[in-house]
Amino acid sequence: MSDQTPSEPIQAPQTNGEDTAPTIGLISQYVKDLSFENPSAPAVYQWQSAPQLDVQFNIGADGVGDGLFEVVLKIDVTSKSDEGTAFIVDLKYAGLFGVRHVPEDQLQPFFLAEAPRILFPFARRVIADCVRDGGFPPLLLEPIDFHGLFMQQVQAQAEQAAQAEFGAPVGNA
């Protein structure tokens, strides 16, 4: 037999019936705007040179209601070769997120790093399908490290602030 007394069951803290835990949930995701241009058809299908791709992306977040935020991942792809422009894809893929009890200083990292990471695989599929439906091989975009990009942006802003404050470049000499 053991000399230990039975332990009390663990209970969640009482909060007067109100849940105050920080939560963020994806409510919906959708294509907000999609454009595909094939300006050189039908000649483009006979071109022999390899295309060069230019991929640009941007992230935006806006409050759209009490505790509701829309995060938009904008991706622009242009395919050009020696003969001309093969295709252009412009996509705005959005997610509607519900936010409760999240500190203000945690919203920007979520909206600029985590939310795009959640949305990107779906936007990638939309682009691949769109390019394929335009008569080209599906375009599978490489994964993007949104967290790493966000951290680079934060570091660059900190360096700019320090440079403005001290009037000299920041870094190792």
Side-chain angles (χ1 to χ4, degrees):
M1 288 233 138
S2 170
D3 289 6
Q4 295 177 337
T5 59
S7 62
E8 292 291 321
I10 298 173
Q11 295 181 358
Q14 297 297 317
T15 59
N16 298 331
E18 219 179 284
D19 182 15
T20 58
T23 57
I24 298 178
L26 177 62
I27 296 170
S28 182
Q29 56 186 352
Y30 45 91
V31 173
K32 187 167 181 146
D33 187 24
L34 175 62
S35 171
F36 179 84
E37 297 176 42
N38 190 351
S40 301
V44 67
Y45 301 111
Q46 298 173 10
W47 294 351
Q48 299 299 314
S49 61
Q52 298 296 314
L53 292 175
D54 178 35
V55 179
Q56 303 290 321
F57 63 93
N58 196 359
I59 304 161
D62 290 314
V64 294
D66 187 31
L68 292 176
F69 293 85
E70 180 186 57
V71 176
V72 179
L73 181 57
K74 184 175 184 335
I75 303 173
D76 298 321
V77 180
T78 304
S79 174
K80 293 185 178 183
S81 64
D82 294 339
E83 295 88 351
T85 300
F87 64 83
I88 302 168
V89 180
D90 297 318
L91 172 66
K92 288 183 183 175
Y93 193 83
L96 185 63
F97 293 87
V99 176
R100 286 190 307 197
H101 310 295
V102 176
E104 280 291 317
D105 65 333
Q106 295 299 309
L107 289 177
Q108 185 181 22
F110 178 82
F111 292 143
L112 297 181
E114 188 63 18
R117 185 192 66 77
I118 293 168
L119 298 174
F120 181 74
F122 301 97
R124 179 182 186 218
R125 182 198 49 81
V126 170
I127 289 174
D129 290 349
C130 184
V131 170
R132 184 202 63 225
D133 291 347
F136 299 93
L139 174 61
L140 296 177
L141 297 175
E142 293 292 323
I144 298 170
D145 179 9
F146 291 103
H147 180 71
L149 292 172
F150 175 72
M151 294 310 295
Q152 286 176 357
Q153 182 182 20
V154 168
Q155 182 179 0
Q157 288 173 348
E159 288 175 2
Q160 287 176 350
Q163 192 175 24
E165 184 176 339
F166 299 111
V170 176
N172 297 335

